[in-house]
Amino acid sequence: MTETLAITPGQDREDTYRQLLPQLLAMIEAERDRVATLANLSAALRQAFGFHWVGFYLVQGNELVLGPFQGPVACTRIAHGKGVCGTAWSTNTTLIVPDVEAFPGHIACSAQTKSEIVVPIHDEQGDVWAVLDVDSSNKDDFSDVDRDALEQLAAWLIR
Ligand code: SME
């Protein structure tokens, strides 16, 4: 694996994902250390799309603890069922929040975040071991295009 991304500028998001996903899979296959992989996946997603914040929260007991991320400093612990991340975990579903101010209990790590998508990542039993959180400084920035691509990524991270 090279340590650079090949992304053609000016493509729409779907085309960018089409170009990016095989490179993300190559990163996953090339490195067995989980933290190293999650760190580079965060960097790649942020670099490709310019998102405000991209990162992973890892399940530790009854809470999520901040893992590898790219972007401004963030809250370190989120309880089960709290905020968008804790709700994606407790409901075991991908959540797209078009307007974070309209989401009851949203945890505002950064005032710049306007919309977000959170995707659970499973183990082989179907239990959540982490969530991927992608935050945008634009309202309504996420669609099924992001859901499909990021759920594909999550499927490659089943452990
Ligand atoms: N907004 C998230 C918290 C994590 S940060 O935005 C990085 C939430 O409500 O779960």
Side-chain angles (χ1 to χ4, degrees), residues 53 57 74-75 78 83-85 106-107 109 116 133 135:
W53 194 93
Y57 281 89
C75 9
I78 298 172
V84 185
C85 292
H106 170 253
I107 300 165
C109 289
E116 64 182 271
D133 179 7
D135 297 356

Side-chain angles (χ1 to χ4, degrees), residues 15-159:
D15 284 334
T16 303
Y17 276 121
R18 207 169 286 128
Q19 204 178 11
L20 182 66
L21 281 171
Q23 299 177 70
L24 301 185
L25 180 58
M27 286 178 182
I28 292 166
E29 288 178 339
E31 175 54 60
R32 66 181 178 280
D33 185 90
R34 189 62 64 171
V35 169
T37 300
L38 298 183
N40 260 348
L41 294 176
S42 310
L45 285 166
R46 191 159 187 252
Q47 188 185 326
F49 298 106
F51 292 129
H52 177 60
W53 194 93
V54 180
F56 295 87
Y57 281 89
L58 311 181
V59 172
Q60 272 187 36
N62 205 31
E63 57 188 0
L64 294 168
V65 180
L66 183 63
F69 73 98
Q70 294 278 312
V73 293
C75 9
T76 55
R77 287 171 192 270
I78 298 172
H80 189 248
K82 298 291 178 193
V84 185
C85 292
T87 305
W89 175 23
S90 64
T91 58
N92 204 343
T93 50
T94 297
L95 289 182
I96 292 176
V97 178
D99 176 0
V100 294
E101 283 171 30
F103 186 93
H106 170 253
I107 300 165
C109 289
S110 160
Q112 251 176 277
T113 295
K114 303 292 183 218
S115 62
E116 64 182 271
I117 180 169
V118 180
V119 181
I121 302 170
H122 301 108
D123 61 21
E124 278 172 355
Q125 285 71 47
D127 294 326
V128 176
W129 68 268
V131 300
L132 167 61
D133 179 7
V134 181
D135 297 356
S136 170
S137 43
N138 301 315
K139 267 192 188 169
D140 201 12
D141 202 13
F142 299 104
S143 72
D144 285 345
V145 168
D146 303 280
R147 184 201 308 267
D148 291 350
L150 299 177
E151 286 185 350
Q152 171 64 79
L153 174 61
W156 291 330
L157 292 170
I158 289 175
R159 64 170 195 194

